[in-house]
Amino acid sequence: MLQCIFLLSDSGEVMLEKQLTGHQVDRSICVWFWDQIISQGDSLKLVPVIASPTHYLFQVVREGITFLACTQVEMPPLMAIEFLSRVADVLTDYLGSLNEDLIKDNFVIVYELLDEMIDNGFPLTTEPNILREMIAPPNIVSKVLSVVTGNVSNMSNTLPGATSSCVPWRKTDLKHASNEVYVDLVEEMDVIINRDGALVKCEIYGEVQVNSQLSGLPDLTLSFANPSILNDMRFHPCVRLRPWEANQILSFVPPDGEFKLMSYRVKKLKSTPIYVKPQLSSDSGTCRISVLVGIRNDPGKSIDSITVQFRLPPCVLSADLSANHGAVNILADKTCSWSIGRIPKDKAPSMSGTMALETGLQRLNVFPSFQVSFRIMGVAFSGLQIDKLDLKNLPSRPYKGFRALTRAGEFEVRS
């Protein structure tokens, strides 16, 4: 049972406080928490559960905003962390993004959302579709009306019918002119390549995203051609667990609109779609750099939006870099960005140049790491394939669409 939730800015200021039970949690707990952040560094922000002298603290950090929950009783930590993540997702959905100004400008809506999402310390309504029926998202018209009428609340006067149904994530009596459902496989590739070019880590975090515009109460069944490659699956509450445990089939009644049906990981992949080969050599106060980029494992679709970034070491005074394809820019914070776009068929993109070192320094002693980004439309690089999607309880034959996207996540090449 959670007893209090605080929203903290990146400077430690308490932007919002929500007491959840009769037990009042003093704000001094935020002072203690921020003192720990300052004394131990930002690495403490990566620790989801912290034990203070008086409370257990749970934290989730999004876009510089810290969502901090407190309790004095034993409870499953994953429940608290998942709830804070849901709060962050809902606020991002409502406000468009997360920052200090947006939360302060929409304080009433944020407070009303927390009122509906948790009751007496226990999570209650966390489905965005139902929350939108209860609390209208902010817009220009509602802000003008609140100024004119003095009524700043966006609360609905009626309770959504879905809150009392067996499928609380879906509105009742839905009707669409055209019945259609789209399924997207969106994957991010996390890679670490050491200075010898060996693959240290290569895995994919993926999501099955669904956009459902179906009338009535449809029942969907989604199956994969190769579900055995999936690990660490997480499901939307609409998914029935027994069919998945028995036959690896996703059986569900979908929410209306866009939602994340499941997430997964595919571990220990053997190759990456592109390679990045940096070479650095230095003597006499000058460092020569050369970076070569090319296709290693052709996915069958074009690889675009390729960018290579690295930060110049502190000992580098200036750099003169050029590329045979794309544009090279050096920003004020010493970040070098090489925008390649697509790899041409007639040549492999390369960047080369020299870097001047500090006076008295003969050789480079700090070597940069290269961050790579790219995008592949139409391919799930993990090899995951959708076998079929069956739909029941529909008044007319629906349209079904499938897409796939692979992009770089934390793709790092060390030099």
Side-chain angles (χ1 to χ4, degrees):
M1 180 179 68
L2 297 177
Q3 295 173 331
C4 187
I5 292 178
F6 297 99
L7 266 62
L8 308 180
S9 68
D10 56 2
S11 62
E13 176 192 357
V14 179
M15 297 184 294
L16 184 142
E17 172 187 341
K18 174 66 174 170
Q19 300 289 340
L20 305 174
T21 65
H23 173 79
Q24 293 287 317
V25 179
D26 194 85
R27 279 197 179 194
S28 60
I29 193 68
C30 297
V31 177
W32 180 90
F33 169 76
W34 205 254
D35 287 343
Q36 298 299 308
I37 293 290
I38 294 174
S39 62
Q40 299 187 32
D42 287 342
S43 60
L44 192 65
K45 289 186 176 181
L46 302 176
V47 181
V49 184
I50 303 169
S52 78
T54 57
H55 293 79
Y56 295 108
L57 306 180
F58 308 95
Q59 64 162 332
V60 168
V61 181
R62 295 280 184 89
E63 304 296 334
I65 305 298
T66 301
F67 295 80
L68 187 68
C70 311
T71 186
Q72 286 183 313
V73 299
E74 291 283 348
M75 65 173 292
L78 284 178
M79 185 183 81
I81 295 166
E82 176 65 19
F83 175 73
L84 291 177
S85 298
R86 289 285 185 95
V87 172
D89 291 340
V90 167
L91 292 185
T92 302
D93 184 45
Y94 261 74
L95 307 180
S97 62
L98 273 182
N99 61 58
E100 186 175 345
D101 292 334
L102 275 174
I103 290 176
K104 289 181 177 179
D105 291 344
N106 298 278
F107 176 84
V108 174
I109 289 180
V110 175
Y111 212 88
E112 289 174 342
L113 284 170
L114 288 175
D115 263 338
E116 298 300 332
M117 293 183 71
I118 191 165
D119 181 38
N120 198 33
F122 294 96
L124 184 62
T125 303
T126 59
E127 186 59 44
N129 291 328
I130 304 305
L131 288 170
R132 282 179 174 273
E133 284 192 75
M134 297 169 132
I135 304 166
N139 54 53
I140 295 176
V141 175
S142 64
K143 289 181 179 179
V144 171
L145 287 175
S146 67
V147 172
V148 174
T149 63
N151 180 19
V152 295
S153 176
N154 282 22
M155 288 285 293
S156 171
N157 294 324
T158 59
L159 190 67
T163 55
S164 59
S165 74
C166 60
V167 282
W169 53 84
R170 185 174 178 83
K171 300 176 185 178
T172 56
D173 300 326
L174 273 171
K175 293 182 180 179
H176 290 282
S178 59
N179 285 310
E180 51 192 21
V181 58
Y182 301 94
V183 180
D184 293 342
L185 295 180
V186 181
E187 298 188 339
E188 287 191 352
M189 176 173 278
D190 296 334
V191 175
I192 296 177
I193 299 174
N194 67 14
R195 60 182 302 174
D196 298 322
L199 205 58
V200 177
K201 170 187 174 183
C202 185
E203 65 180 38
I204 278 178
Y205 169 79
E207 294 181 354
V208 180
Q209 298 178 357
V210 179
N211 186 356
S212 171
Q213 305 291 333
L214 300 172
S215 303
L217 196 66
D219 199 321
L220 278 63
T221 303
L222 177 67
S223 60
F224 301 104
N226 48 348
S228 59
I229 67 174
L230 302 179
N231 298 284
D232 304 337
M233 290 79 69
R234 292 176 60 195
F235 301 104
H236 188 279
C238 70
V239 175
R240 304 180 181 102
L241 292 181
R242 286 189 178 179
W244 176 263
E245 292 170 349
N247 302 305
Q248 282 72 56
I249 292 175
L250 293 174
S251 175
F252 58 99
V253 175
D256 191 50
E258 299 179 3
F259 67 99
K260 181 172 70 176
L261 180 64
M262 69 173 289
S263 64
Y264 59 87
R265 288 191 184 275
V266 179
K267 301 180 179 180
K268 297 181 180 179
L269 295 178
K270 301 299 183 182
S271 64
T272 60
I274 65 174
Y275 65 81
V276 177
K277 296 180 179 179
Q279 291 184 339
L280 292 91
S281 61
S282 58
D283 56 45
S284 304
T286 302
C287 177
R288 287 169 291 279
I289 181 172
S290 173
V291 183
L292 189 67
V293 177
I295 296 176
R296 167 169 284 148
N297 188 357
D298 191 350
K301 299 284 186 178
S302 62
I303 307 173
D304 56 21
S305 302
I306 301 174
T307 302
V308 178
Q309 286 189 340
F310 68 98
R311 188 181 292 272
L312 299 176
C315 59
V316 173
L317 296 178
S318 62
D320 181 17
L321 305 174
S322 61
N324 66 351
H325 181 79
V328 180
N329 295 303
I330 300 178
L331 307 179
D333 62 351
K334 282 192 169 184
T335 298
C336 177
S337 177
W338 177 22
S339 299
I340 300 172
R342 291 187 180 182
I343 296 177
K345 296 181 179 180
D346 57 339
K347 61 181 176 181
S350 65
M351 179 185 70
S352 59
T354 58
M355 299 184 293
L357 306 182
E358 289 178 342
T359 304
L361 192 64
Q362 295 297 311
R363 292 180 176 273
L364 189 67
N365 51 19
V366 178
F367 294 91
S369 294
F370 296 79
Q371 281 73 43
V372 184
S373 62
F374 59 83
R375 184 182 65 179
I376 311 173
M377 297 295 296
V379 170
F381 198 78
S382 65
L384 182 65
Q385 295 179 348
I386 294 176
D387 184 24
K388 62 180 179 179
L389 175 64
D390 294 329
L391 299 92
K392 300 177 183 177
N393 301 338
L394 286 172
S396 60
R397 186 175 181 179
Y399 174 79
K400 300 181 286 187
F402 303 94
R403 293 183 302 185
L405 166 67
T406 301
R407 59 191 175 211
E410 297 180 1
F411 195 119
E412 179 179 308
V413 180
R414 297 170 181 172
S415 63

